[in-house]
Every structure is written in C-alpha cells, then in structure tokens.
Amino acid sequence: MLGIIINPKSGKHAMRAQRAYLEKILHQRHIEFVYKFTCYANHALELARELAESGCEKILVLGGDGTLSEAINGIMRANITPEQRSKIQFGLMPRGTGNDFARYWGLTRKYKRSLDLFFDGKTQPIDVGCLTYWRNGVEHHRHFINSVGFGIDSLTNEYGQKLKYYLGSHHINYFIGFFGALIKLKLESMHLLVDGKSFVDSKMFHLNIANGPYNGGGMKQNAEADPRDGVFHGMFVEKPTFKQLCMGISKLFNGELYKLPFVHSFSGKDFVIKTDEHTQFEADGITMDIMGDFEVHCLHHALRMVVPQYCEEGKEIHDF
C-alpha cells in the first residue's frame, strides 16, 4: 500500500494538474494507494504516524520541507518496531518554497519529472537528526531530515515564511528575510560541544547543524553535508563586522562560506548546545521557541528514501 500525504496549501496553484498526473500513473501501474490531505500545522505528523502504524511501507509526500519534516517525525514516533520502521520507504514530490532537501537529490517542482523519478527510483538509507529539549523537566524530541538552525538562521526562516503570504512562494523570501533578521536579532550566549569536546563558548550570531548542504531556499551553508554518511556538518558564526557580513552574503549560494576566517566549521555525530536564555530554533523550516539546553544526535540510516536511479553513493546531484 502506498500512502500519499498532500499539503494542499503548498504550491496550490498546480494542485489539480499534479493530482491528475499522479492518479494517471497510479492507475497505469495498478498501485493500491490512499490519499491523506493535511488541514493544519503538524497534521502531516499525525497522518504519517497513522500510515506507519497501519502497516503502510511506502509513503509519498507532496509538499515542502516543513511537510516532509512533519511526516518524518510521524514515522519516527509511530508505535512500531525498529524492524517495521526500517522497511518504510518515503519519497518526496517538492511543492514548497525552499525545497532544500529535494534540491540535494535533483528533485524540482517540475512535478511530472519528480513523480516519474519516484516511481522508477531506488531506495537509499538516509540519516535522520534528533533534537532533544526539555520543558518543565519533561524530555521532548524533534526529528529533522535536512538541518536545524539557531540565531540568524532561525529568524531568517521565520521572516521568510511570513513573507510568502504577501509575496507568494519564492526563494527570494529567505534572502529578504535575512536582512529583516539582521535588524531584529538579539545575540545570545551559548556553549557548543561536538562529540563531547568543547568547540565554542561565545555570543551566537549563527549556528547551523546540517544533514544536507542547502537551507533557506538554496543557500549552501554546509557544502560537505551528505545525508547518507552518518555525520552532520555545521558552522558557527560570531557577530560579524559590516565588511565580514558583506563577504558572507557574496558566498551564501556558492558553498564557500566555510572559507571565511570568521566562520567556524565542524562535523560530528553528537552535539550539546548549552544556553541560559530563551532560544528560538528552526528544524527543516519549522520554527520553535524553547528554553535550552539542547542535544542533537545523528541517527545513522534511520529511514529509507526513494531517490532517483541516477543518484550514486556519495555524489550530489546538480540538475536544475
């Protein structure tokens, strides 16, 4: 059984054509399926959990990074055995604003091509991130598939999401949101440990821990990130000068941020973020406000993803 989760608000203008083409493929291939439409925030989480618990072993998400992230959280929270979870395959037809995780695999909003790639694709073990935080002494978990960000990263995401209601779904929203975030950002003190070793103890301008190289609508922050290798890559930035900021903006999209002297890159499997202040973060484009501390862990090959046949191990796809 194929479970299909659709966010009708994401890329809504093309919804009718996309659904018609999808149904055509399903009937031609004689695939048994069930539709699930999201109606509110975190609904994809509930739907994916229901599908996983009902024995569905293949889930296709039609939506953006946020919808995919909710679905991943639903699968990870499902009341099933690890063996059952390891058999679940998920796929993506990108319909969002940023589509950053899809970008790594060469999947675009050209729905016919992306759907064809899903049905003719192969499965690939994929790493999943788990961010742990506490509320009133109670432990909570938020899983992510692409990246988690703090500081300017989180605030840029918040503004970029708000702008889509005025400007529509465009990559430029995040770039505009970045400048708005520069005005509003309040620097917070934090202490970062990477694999048990102290990495930095300073005021935080920006922190991103990534499973994939892209975020914010194509900004290539962590060029070496690969969602298959069992390691997360990240960068930490203290408050830059105006000159340094201009240098950074010029390298946002070409993967060369790590070359700047004020950008501190790192990699590892386990991270601890200590802060005494109220801290906002974004996980796959979903913004949350939490009081620290935080822990981030890489769950190696936690799920399986249906990827295009031309994807080779260790090779990123550039097909846009």
Side-chain angles (χ1 to χ4, degrees), residues 130-134 139-142 293-297:
C130 180
L131 186 147
T132 302
Y133 60 94
W134 290 262
E139 183 175 309
H140 296 270
H141 302 281
R142 184 77 192 188
D293 298 339
F294 308 90
E295 294 179 3
V296 177
H297 303 284

Side-chain angles (χ1 to χ4, degrees), residues 160-179:
Q161 290 293 324
K162 289 179 178 178
L163 282 171
K164 72 180 182 180
Y165 294 105
Y166 302 99
L167 305 179
S169 296
H170 303 288
H171 298 164
I172 194 67
N173 292 359
Y174 294 101
F175 194 64
I176 298 173
F178 174 76
F179 290 98

Side-chain angles (χ1 to χ4, degrees), residues 67-303:
T67 308
L68 176 63
S69 186
E70 289 183 11
I72 294 300
N73 275 271
I75 297 171
M76 297 301 294
R77 297 184 193 184
N79 186 24
I80 55 179
T81 66
E83 182 181 1
Q84 290 173 315
R85 184 175 290 108
S86 67
K87 294 179 180 179
I88 296 176
Q89 304 171 17
F90 75 91
L92 175 64
M93 164 52 226
R95 302 183 69 243
T97 304
N99 299 319
D100 288 301
F101 192 68
R103 187 180 300 272
Y104 179 85
W105 304 102
L107 299 173
T108 72
R109 294 174 68 170
K110 297 178 180 178
Y111 63 91
K112 291 184 178 181
R113 177 179 178 276
S114 291
L115 288 173
D116 288 343
L117 290 174
F118 170 76
F119 287 106
D120 293 323
K122 63 179 182 178
T123 60
Q124 173 78 59
I126 297 294
D127 303 334
V128 174
C130 180
L131 186 147
T132 302
Y133 60 94
W134 290 262
R135 277 179 172 163
N136 299 320
V138 179
E139 183 175 309
H140 296 270
H141 302 281
R142 184 77 192 188
H143 293 89
F144 62 93
I145 191 71
N146 189 55
S147 71
V148 59
F150 302 80
I152 194 73
D153 193 335
S154 178
L155 203 55
T156 296
N157 176 77
E158 179 185 349
Y159 289 169
Q161 290 293 324
K162 289 179 178 178
L163 282 171
K164 72 180 182 180
Y165 294 105
Y166 302 99
L167 305 179
S169 296
H170 303 288
H171 298 164
I172 194 67
N173 292 359
Y174 294 101
F175 194 64
I176 298 173
F178 174 76
F179 290 98
L182 284 175
I183 299 172
K184 286 288 187 178
L185 181 66
K186 177 185 176 183
L187 299 186
E188 301 172 3
S189 297
M190 57 85 66
H191 183 200
L192 172 65
L193 292 89
V194 179
D195 288 339
K197 297 180 180 179
S198 179
F199 180 76
V200 68
D201 190 351
S202 178
K203 290 280 188 179
M204 173 183 61
F205 175 78
H206 169 74
L207 172 65
N208 182 269
I209 300 173
N211 192 27
Y214 299 100
N215 77 331
M219 299 179 190
K220 198 170 187 180
Q221 293 196 46
N222 295 286
E224 299 299 317
D226 184 334
R228 301 162 287 192
D229 62 3
V231 176
F232 286 165
H233 291 257
M235 63 170 54
F236 176 88
V237 181
E238 299 179 46
K239 185 177 181 179
T241 64
F242 179 76
K243 180 180 179 181
Q244 290 173 332
L245 188 63
C246 292
M247 292 169 60
I249 291 174
S250 68
K251 296 181 181 297
L252 276 176
F253 296 92
N254 64 9
E256 296 185 350
L257 280 171
Y258 72 95
K259 294 181 178 180
L260 298 173
F262 58 92
V263 174
H264 309 287
S265 300
F266 57 88
S267 62
K269 298 180 179 180
D270 301 292
F271 311 86
V272 177
I273 302 164
K274 295 181 177 292
T275 174
D276 295 327
E277 302 175 62
H278 180 81
T279 303
Q280 175 179 287
F281 72 89
E282 62 89 11
D284 294 335
I286 299 174
T287 305
M288 302 180 69
D289 288 296
I290 305 294
M291 189 72 180
D293 298 339
F294 308 90
E295 294 179 3
V296 177
H297 303 284
C298 177
L299 307 180
H300 187 42
H301 289 177
L303 292 175

Side-chain angles (χ1 to χ4, degrees), residues 2-58:
L2 169 64
I4 303 172
I5 298 175
I6 301 177
N7 180 354
K9 293 183 179 180
S10 181
K12 57 186 177 182
H13 298 298
M15 181 69 245
R16 181 177 298 178
Q18 291 171 358
R19 185 174 177 182
Y21 186 75
L22 175 58
E23 290 181 351
K24 176 183 176 181
I25 296 178
L26 293 169
H27 290 304
Q28 285 178 344
R29 296 176 180 247
H30 305 289
I31 297 174
E32 187 179 0
F33 66 94
V34 58
Y35 275 129
K36 300 284 186 179
F37 289 88
T38 63
C39 300
Y40 46 83
N42 279 318
H43 195 194
L45 186 156
E46 299 171 13
L47 296 176
R49 183 169 56 195
E50 291 172 4
L51 289 170
E53 291 177 351
S54 67
C56 184
E57 293 188 351
K58 204 165 189 178

